[in-house]
């Protein structure tokens, strides 16, 4: 594994999102002096926090899986998630509701889920689920050690026995047909393939290897930290600071100073004129922001392709609906058409599938007494492929989403809203996210593994990239891993 040459005693981490915090923990634990520069007033990056009249909104991810990866980052400085967080396992992990009126609780416990599948779709599907669970588990074992938690120096890094194992498991086939080998009920197929949305590729075209996300969701378990998802970056920042890392908030990085020859970054420059000398730098903004700081965009055979975006409605209401679990997925009737609209036509979903998260179901303290929080996510095209005039469109689309919720059993939702905030692709773009999507580069084959934007920077020998735009990719678990991998490029760790 290639590492940063020369001295690496003082490392500046640009950005206190989950990737930057993970890198800071691993670097501090390895004995480096670490300075974290964050333009916001709080840690978290995408996993931010907003107080809306006493309703505490998580502005980014709402689903936490693979807490062992969080534990690994905290343990680098001698702390643990058990010590610093109250992680509540969610049962069910999700509730899936379908257009035909049926519903399915997704359990991470094998026997419980097998019984639920049998109730929902019959004994044959329960047998298929049992086989699928075994396949997902083996897929995860093979991928984690060699393809997710691994730095790549070239595509040749893939070669090895695990590549053959992944191929034998069908990982290079297509996701939807592979899931269809285990489950025949189309509704169940959706439950184990909708995760392709996270990767930015329709299930019919996504690599079957991305079923590993379904493993994280449906086998490893889904958790929620009391205090909201923002409690995770708060805990990580507290642990890093306690171990000696320095955090500077309100510090917007505007440039990198280079030494003679230009191959090494010697200092990081901020908007208020501060110059912070460094031996190495970890860059965690979205890729266009990283490229702007570096002064160059890497050449690629084809341009980067960005994932679909999301329209989000945060609603503080004076009531809730008992059929909603902590996480509820409301599927529309049209599944294949939905993905075609999002990724090919650049159109809003004509029959939307929605993620509805109710964090106050687990932690009522996130809203004032008698109030409830509902987070409604509607996938939508990014700004490169879809509508761009969101200033005009957002209020109308908000009303369309509310109408759809009421049609699907949440009667009176609109009248129950007391405070609200909407987030559109234009808002994501204003935060610095390329193409107005918080999900960064799509996981097409040409943007996966060693073909994804690398975390080492050509022409700058002491800069490393972390975050969802680089390896291993999008999602809370993989972003935590990206910080670890970036740190290993500096410390020479095993990864």
């Amino acid at each position: 594994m290639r590492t940063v040459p020369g001295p690496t005693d003082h490392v500046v981490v640009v950005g206190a999102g989950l990737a930057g915090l993970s890198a800071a923990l691993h670097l501090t634990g390895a004995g480096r002096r670490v300075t974290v520069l964050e333009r916001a007033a709080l840690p978290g990056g995408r996993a931010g926090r907003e107080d809306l009249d006493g309703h505490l909104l998580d502005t980014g991810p709402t689903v936490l899986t693979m807490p062992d990866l969080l534990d690994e980052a905290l343990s680098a400085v001698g702390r643990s998630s058990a010590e610093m967080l109250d992680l509540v396992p969610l049962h069910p992990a999700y509730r899936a509701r379908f257009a035909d009126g049926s519903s399915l609780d997704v359990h991470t416990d094998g026997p419980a889920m097998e019984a639920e599948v049998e109730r929902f779709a019959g004994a044959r599907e329960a047998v298929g689920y049992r086989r699928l669970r075994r396949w997902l588990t083996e897929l995860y074992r093979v991928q984690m050690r060699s393809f997710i938690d691994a730095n790549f120096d070239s595509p040749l890094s893939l070669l090895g026995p695990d590549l053959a194992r992944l191929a034998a498991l069908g990982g290079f086939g297509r996701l939807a047909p592979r899931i269809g080998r285990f489950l025949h009920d189309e509704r169940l197929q959706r439950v184990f393939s909708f995760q392709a949305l996270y990767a930015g590729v329709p299930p019919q075209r996504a690599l079957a290897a991305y079923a590993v996300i379904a493993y994280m969701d449906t086998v490893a378990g889904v958790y929620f930290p009391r205090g909201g998802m923002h409690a995770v970056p708060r805990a990580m920042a507290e642990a890093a600071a306690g171990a000696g890392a320095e955090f500077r908030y309100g510090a917007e990085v505007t440039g990198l100073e280079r030494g003679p020859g230009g191959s090494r970054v010697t200092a990081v420059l901020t908007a208020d004129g501060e110059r912070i000398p460094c031996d190495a730098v970890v860059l965690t903004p979205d890729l266009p922001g990283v490229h702007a700081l570096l002064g160059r965009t890497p050449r690629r055979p084809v341009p980067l392709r960005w994932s679909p975006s999301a329209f989000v409605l945060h609603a503080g209401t004076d009531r809730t609906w008992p059929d909603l679990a902590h996480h509820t997925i409301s599927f529309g009737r049209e599944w294949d058409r939905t993905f075609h609209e999002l990724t090919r036509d650049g159109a809003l979903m004509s029959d939307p599938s929605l993620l509805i998260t109710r964090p106050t179901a687990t932690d009522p303290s996130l809203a004032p007494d008698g109030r409830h929080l509902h987070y409604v996510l509607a996938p939508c095209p990014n700004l490169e492929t879809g509508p761009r005039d969101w200033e005009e469109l957002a209020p109308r689309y908000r009303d369309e989403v509310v109408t759809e919720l009421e049609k699907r059993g949440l009667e009176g939702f609109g009248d129950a809203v007391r405070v609200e905030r909407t987030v559109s692709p234009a808002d994501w773009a204003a935060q610095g996210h390329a193409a107005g999507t918080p999900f960064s580069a799509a996981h097409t084959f040409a943007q996966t593994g060693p073909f994804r934007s690398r975390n080492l920077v050509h022409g700058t020998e002491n800069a490393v990239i972390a975050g969802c735009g680089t390896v291993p990719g999008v999602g809370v678990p993989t972003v935590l891993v990206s910080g670890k991998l970036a740190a290993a490029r500096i410390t020479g760790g095993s990864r």
Side-chain angles (χ1 to χ4, degrees):
M1 180 188 72
R2 287 181 54 201
T3 57
V4 168
T8 59
D9 298 323
H10 180 211
V11 183
V12 171
V13 178
V14 178
L18 295 178
L21 293 168
S22 174
L25 286 164
H26 286 287
L27 288 165
T28 303
R32 301 311 192 266
R33 183 163 71 91
V34 175
T35 301
V36 182
L37 304 178
E38 169 55 51
R39 67 181 180 180
L42 297 168
R46 286 172 171 82
R49 163 59 50 85
E50 181 175 340
D51 187 332
L52 187 63
D53 293 341
H55 301 75
L56 303 181
L57 313 180
D58 283 318
T59 61
T62 63
V63 179
L64 177 63
T65 63
M66 306 300 295
D68 55 308
L69 297 175
L70 173 61
D71 232 20
E72 183 181 26
L74 292 169
S75 69
V77 296
R79 307 297 292 270
S80 70
S81 57
E83 170 192 1
M84 304 195 70
L85 291 161
D86 183 4
L87 295 180
V88 181
L90 298 182
H91 302 296
Y94 296 97
R95 176 165 294 149
R97 300 176 68 183
F98 301 93
D100 64 2
S102 61
S103 66
L104 171 82
D105 281 355
V106 179
H107 300 284
T108 52
D109 175 74
M113 186 59 184
E114 189 175 336
E116 176 70 352
V117 169
E118 183 167 358
R119 176 201 67 79
F120 181 77
R124 184 179 75 156
E125 295 296 85
V127 171
Y129 163 74
R130 193 160 60 238
R131 293 173 49 238
L132 172 62
R133 187 182 178 93
R134 287 197 297 267
W135 179 73
L136 291 172
T137 301
E138 183 59 23
L139 192 73
Y140 171 77
R141 287 174 180 159
V142 169
Q143 287 197 74
M144 190 63 189
R145 61 181 175 241
S146 296
F147 304 107
I148 297 175
D149 192 6
N151 273 312
F152 298 104
D153 290 329
S154 81
L156 296 177
S157 304
L158 284 172
L159 299 178
D162 280 339
L163 182 66
R165 293 189 186 101
L166 183 59
L169 286 167
F172 297 109
R174 299 301 174 189
L175 176 60
R178 177 59 58 169
I179 298 296
R181 292 191 179 192
F182 300 99
L183 300 169
H184 298 89
D185 189 292
E186 189 266 346
R187 298 166 301 172
L188 288 174
Q189 291 173 8
R190 293 188 190 188
V191 169
F192 292 94
S193 64
F194 81 88
Q195 295 86 355
L197 266 179
Y198 302 154
V201 185
Q204 290 290 347
R205 292 193 287 120
L207 289 176
Y210 282 107
V212 71
I213 310 175
Y215 169 87
M216 296 176 181
D217 280 359
T218 67
V219 178
V222 176
Y223 296 78
F224 186 73
R226 294 197 190 278
M229 287 290 288
H230 185 65
V232 171
R234 284 204 315 270
M236 296 175 74
E238 179 186 338
E246 179 186 2
F247 283 79
R248 301 188 192 180
Y249 296 105
E252 182 176 359
V253 173
T254 55
L256 304 176
E257 180 181 285
R258 294 175 181 266
S263 63
R264 288 187 74 87
V265 175
T266 55
V268 177
L269 310 176
T270 68
D272 60 5
E274 192 173 9
R275 177 185 179 274
I276 301 98
C278 64
D279 298 309
V281 61
V282 177
L283 303 172
T284 72
D286 212 2
L287 289 176
V290 168
H291 298 157
L293 289 173
L294 292 169
R296 63 182 295 271
T297 300
R299 285 184 293 179
R300 296 179 57 87
V302 294
L304 280 171
R305 208 173 120 201
W306 305 102
S307 295
S309 185
F311 179 88
V312 176
L313 169 63
H314 298 274
T317 63
D318 60 11
R319 59 167 292 197
T320 190
W321 292 261
D323 287 344
L324 292 178
H326 186 110
H327 295 297
T328 300
I329 306 166
S330 176
F331 289 104
R333 291 187 184 277
E334 300 295 336
W335 185 236
D336 292 339
R337 188 173 77 190
T338 287
F339 283 97
H340 202 281
E341 289 168 338
L342 290 173
T343 63
R344 296 292 183 89
D345 296 342
L348 296 174
M349 294 180 291
S350 56
D351 183 20
S353 290
L354 306 169
L355 170 65
I356 307 161
T357 294
R358 185 165 62 104
T360 44
T362 303
D363 186 353
S365 71
L366 295 171
D369 288 346
R371 296 289 181 86
H372 307 268
L373 268 179
H374 297 87
Y375 165 108
V376 184
L377 184 149
C380 66
N382 63 47
L383 293 178
E384 284 193 357
T385 61
R388 293 168 175 79
D389 187 12
W390 276 97
E391 184 175 353
E392 181 276 330
L393 179 59
R396 176 161 51 86
Y397 193 54
R398 175 265 185 206
D399 291 344
E400 291 178 11
V401 169
V402 168
T403 298
E404 194 63 38
L405 292 171
E406 293 180 337
K407 287 180 182 176
R408 298 184 186 187
L410 275 63
E411 295 90 352
F413 187 92
D415 290 338
V417 174
R418 292 294 170 264
V419 295
E420 67 179 86
R421 163 126 155 72
T422 60
V423 186
S424 76
D427 297 311
W428 298 120
Q431 294 174 33
H433 301 314
T437 173
F439 304 116
S440 195
H443 284 264
T444 60
F445 181 80
Q447 295 177 178
T448 293
F451 307 111
R452 198 165 179 81
S453 294
R454 297 176 61 198
N455 59 4
L456 284 181
V457 177
H458 180 70
T460 306
E461 61 184 28
N462 65 336
V464 188
I465 301 173
C468 59
T470 185
V471 291
V474 177
V476 172
T478 40
V479 164
L480 292 173
V481 171
S482 83
K484 173 189 173 184
L485 296 179
R489 291 290 195 183
I490 293 170
T491 64
S494 62
R495 292 297 186 177

